[in-house]
Amino acid sequence: SQNDLDVILDIITKNLEDVVCDYYGNYFLQKLLPYFSYKHRILLYTHIKPIFIPIANDICGNHSLQSLIMLQNSKEEENIIKECIEKDLQTLAVGANSSHVVQKVIKAIKEPNRAYINTFITSNLIDLCFDSHGICIVKEFIDNTQTDFYIKAVVSIFELETSKLTYDQYGNFGIQEIIKIYGYDACRKIISKICEHVVDFSVFKFSSNVVDFVIDYLSKNKKEKFVYVINNDYNKLMLYDVTGIKTN
């Protein structure tokens, strides 16, 4: 009953951080959250707000926050979430645990209502792509963005930094994701740059992953462009060993 839930929530809020960040307690809370009413969730957010950042950075606590965020369905909850993360987005986005919380916010909140996150990501796109946790934020953003303004902004930045991203151990995943989600027409210039430098990209570990992806992605007719380039530069390609180091 709602009365039972009132009693349970009262007990939890008196020991909130202990429960939320406990190895077993966070599982209990995750199972309980779907039974909470809107009123219960607002009350819980009220108690979480002062300790949101420590919970987001906790290896257990971040899971409880993710579950709570995915249940939001009101403007008030969206505003509370914004208040909790907006001023610390730079730190949260690259945290081993907190980055998962930001990903859930991107997934749970409709695009027009998370402009502060959209602006942050597009303004810090390349730095996020070069970070092991930040790249996950970028991929979630790409997967959940449909507004032309942001799509064009991301594509334009990727076009300018195609080579750096393709060679990077994390950035190469961003290149693959943007082509997969936005398609050939939007990413034509990015794909063309990969085609133009296919030999150079093919002999290095991370960039070769992008070449493999693009070859699989393109239609048979467009694959012929790769075959043509490789045939013409075969001797150049054979100058490199499997590690990407030029041989004598």
Side-chain angles (χ1 to χ4, degrees):
S1 70
Q2 291 301 303
N3 287 337
D4 292 332
L5 290 171
D6 289 342
V7 173
I8 294 171
L9 182 57
D10 183 59
I11 295 170
I12 289 173
T13 54
K14 290 176 180 176
N15 305 273
L16 186 58
E17 194 165 0
D18 291 337
V19 174
V20 174
C21 297
D22 183 74
Y23 187 81
Y24 303 108
N26 86 91
Y27 287 114
F28 163 73
L29 186 57
Q30 289 181 66
K31 293 295 184 182
L32 183 65
L33 285 173
Y35 296 98
F36 280 168
S37 66
Y38 164 76
K39 180 189 72 173
H40 290 132
R41 293 199 305 274
I42 294 299
L43 181 59
L44 186 57
Y45 271 120
T46 301
H47 286 83
I48 283 177
K49 276 178 66 175
I51 52 174
F52 184 93
I53 302 303
I55 294 174
N57 284 308
D58 185 81
I59 193 169
C60 296
N62 81 90
H63 293 290
S64 296
L65 281 183
Q66 290 181 61
S67 297
L68 179 60
I69 287 167
M70 289 304 295
L71 291 170
Q72 66 78 36
N73 62 6
S74 70
K75 190 65 177 177
E76 187 173 359
E77 288 170 289
E78 289 179 358
N79 289 336
I80 293 172
I81 292 169
K82 180 181 179 181
E83 290 173 19
C84 288
I85 73 171
E86 185 174 23
K87 66 180 184 301
D88 291 296
L89 257 176
Q90 188 76 50
T91 302
L92 292 170
V94 295
N97 299 309
S98 58
S99 62
H100 296 291
V101 176
V102 179
Q103 289 175 61
K104 280 296 187 292
V105 175
I106 294 171
K107 187 173 183 177
I109 296 179
K110 292 180 180 179
E111 190 178 345
N113 299 333
R114 51 175 167 84
Y116 63 102
I117 293 181
N118 303 339
T119 301
F120 166 78
I121 292 174
T122 51
S123 300
N124 298 274
L125 189 61
I126 300 303
D127 288 339
L128 290 171
C129 284
F130 290 158
D131 183 84
S132 60
H133 305 298
I135 186 61
C136 298
I137 301 287
V138 172
K139 289 175 67 176
E140 195 71 57
F141 176 73
I142 291 171
D143 292 354
N144 291 278
T145 298
Q146 298 178 337
T147 301
D148 284 344
F149 173 81
Y150 291 114
I151 291 175
K152 289 178 180 178
V154 172
V155 170
S156 296
I157 295 169
F158 272 40
E159 286 174 0
L160 292 173
E161 303 292 351
T162 297
S163 292
K164 286 183 180 179
L165 291 166
T166 302
Y167 281 123
D168 187 74
Q169 59 180 325
Y170 306 119
N172 80 91
F173 294 113
I175 292 288
Q176 294 178 57
E177 193 73 10
I178 198 173
I179 295 172
K180 181 176 75 175
I181 300 300
Y182 294 160
Y184 181 81
D185 289 338
C187 301
R188 184 186 299 270
K189 290 183 180 179
I190 295 172
I191 293 172
S192 294
K193 286 186 178 182
I194 295 167
C195 291
E196 291 167 7
H197 301 284
V198 62
V199 174
D200 295 326
F201 289 148
S202 294
V203 296
F204 290 96
K205 180 177 180 180
F206 305 116
S207 54
S208 67
N209 293 334
V210 176
V211 173
D212 284 344
F213 173 84
V214 171
I215 290 175
D216 288 338
Y217 175 83
L218 293 176
S219 66
K220 181 180 178 181
N221 290 336
K222 294 188 177 71
K223 282 184 183 179
E224 291 174 359
K225 183 170 184 178
F226 274 90
V227 175
Y228 174 82
V229 172
I230 291 173
N231 284 341
N232 278 272
D233 286 339
Y234 179 77
N235 290 332
K236 178 182 177 183
L237 188 62
M238 294 305 292
L239 291 174
Y240 296 87
D241 65 20
V242 292
T243 65
I245 299 174
K246 203 168 186 178
T247 58
N248 294 326

